[in-house]
């Protein structure tokens, strides 16, 4: 039985629409990575104009870094609505970071900058023990190190849930630093943030 060419065209269009919808839904849930989401990345590149246009209509900007291989959504910065105008509801909730969360993210970003200047490997793998050591320098000496390590582990887990670390399969103490961190903290901010966090920590200790 011969297949109607128009039917093939319709099916392909429907398939492509499903693929585009899959990309849009994934972006609404979180970043898309070229290395991790290969099919989604191909569909994103294919329908980039339409996907970007769709999100612009609902107040979101699609940011794509082709060199680093990630894409994510950002709430558009709009001027405050004048009287009588309708505020646009936010689809992406603002996230307040704790001192510890900010500290670990800055330390990871610093290590990523060092890695990029020293090593040609695109992946930065860090060990749990290293992160414990980095963090210890910003906290007072404690008598209960076991408790402190558990607190650091909970912090590492939280940063992983936020998408900035990925635990390697079958290696519970090794993590890949996700390069999307560069979109949150640029190279010029690293030293400034570390100095600010160290100063804040010293003030809290003296209080």
């Amino acid at each position: 039985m011969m297949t109607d060419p128009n039917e093939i065209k319709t099916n392909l269009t429907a398939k492509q629409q499903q693929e585009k919808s899959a990309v849009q839904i994934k972006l609404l849930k979180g970043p898309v990575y070229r290395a991790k989401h290969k099919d989604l990345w191909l569909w994103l590149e294919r329908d980039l104009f339409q996907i970007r246009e769709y999100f612009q209509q609902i107040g979101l900007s699609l940011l794509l870094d082709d060199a680093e291989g990630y894409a994510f959504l950002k709430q558009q910065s709009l001027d405050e609505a004048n009287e009588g105008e309708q505020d646009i509801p936010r689809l992406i909730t603002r996230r307040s970071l704790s001192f510890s969360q900010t500290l670990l993210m800055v330390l990871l970003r610093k290590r990523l900058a060092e890695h990029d200047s020293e090593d040609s490997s695109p992946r930065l793998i860090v060990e749990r023990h290293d992160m414990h050591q980095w963090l210890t320098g910003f906290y007072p000496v404690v008598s209960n190190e076991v408790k402190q390590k558990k607190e650091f582990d909970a912090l590492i887990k939280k940063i992983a849930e936020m998408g900035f670390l990925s635990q390697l399969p079958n290696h519970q103490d090794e993590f890949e630093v996700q390069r999307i961190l560069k979109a949150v903290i640029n190279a010029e901010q690293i030293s400034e943030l570390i100095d600010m966090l160290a100063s804040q920590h010293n003030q809290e200790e003296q209080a």
Side-chain angles (χ1 to χ4, degrees):
M1 183 177 66
M2 295 186 62
T3 304
D4 184 348
N6 291 328
E7 184 178 344
I8 294 175
K9 184 178 179 181
T10 302
N11 289 337
L12 286 176
T13 301
K15 181 175 181 293
Q16 290 175 347
Q17 179 59 49
Q18 287 180 346
E19 293 168 348
K20 187 176 71 171
S21 297
V23 176
Q24 291 168 330
I25 292 169
K26 179 68 181 77
L27 282 166
L28 285 169
K29 291 182 175 181
V32 171
Y33 297 99
R34 179 168 50 209
K36 188 176 179 181
H37 311 112
K38 294 180 180 176
D39 287 342
L40 290 174
W41 188 267
L42 289 175
W43 303 335
L44 172 60
E45 289 185 319
R46 182 193 64 197
D47 299 325
L48 182 58
F49 176 80
Q50 292 173 303
I51 292 173
R52 195 187 295 278
E53 188 176 48
Y54 166 76
F55 284 122
Q56 282 178 340
Q57 292 173 353
I58 55 175
L60 300 175
S61 295
L62 170 63
L63 304 182
L64 186 151
D65 190 322
D66 191 50
E68 299 290 0
Y70 61 75
F72 64 100
L73 297 176
K74 182 179 180 181
Q75 190 78 42
Q76 290 177 1
S77 299
L78 301 176
D79 295 334
E80 292 186 6
N82 296 319
E83 188 176 351
E85 294 180 345
Q86 183 69 39
D87 277 329
I88 298 177
R90 293 182 65 87
L91 284 170
I92 298 178
T93 306
R94 284 196 179 97
R95 177 184 289 161
S96 296
L97 298 176
S98 68
F99 170 85
S100 299
Q101 291 167 357
T102 306
L103 175 61
L104 182 53
M105 288 173 59
V106 173
L107 294 173
L108 288 168
R109 179 66 182 89
K110 178 175 180 288
R111 181 68 193 94
L112 185 59
E114 293 168 349
H115 171 82
D116 286 348
S117 66
E118 300 166 354
D119 198 328
S120 59
S121 170
R123 300 178 72 196
L124 169 59
I125 309 299
V126 296
E127 296 190 1
R128 186 186 302 275
H129 174 70
D130 292 331
M131 289 187 275
H132 284 184
Q133 283 195 322
W134 301 341
L135 291 165
T136 300
F138 288 84
Y139 290 87
V141 177
V142 295
S143 57
N144 192 341
E145 292 185 4
V146 174
K147 180 184 176 186
Q148 187 179 54
K149 286 183 178 178
K150 286 183 178 178
E151 292 173 350
F152 288 164
D153 286 341
L155 174 60
I156 291 169
K157 182 180 179 183
K158 183 63 180 178
I159 297 300
E161 290 173 352
M162 291 163 66
F164 300 114
L165 284 174
S166 295
Q167 193 174 36
L168 300 189
N170 303 320
H171 295 274
Q172 64 175 0
D173 292 328
E174 295 183 1
F175 299 82
E176 179 177 359
V177 179
Q178 294 298 326
R179 290 185 165 275
I180 198 170
L181 189 55
K182 297 175 76 171
V184 180
I185 303 171
N186 64 46
E188 291 71 27
Q189 292 175 304
I190 298 173
S191 297
E192 181 183 342
L193 284 170
I194 286 180
D195 290 345
M196 184 191 73
L197 290 167
S199 174
Q200 182 179 337
H201 168 64
N202 291 335
Q203 289 175 6
E204 289 176 354
E205 270 205 313
Q206 294 170 5

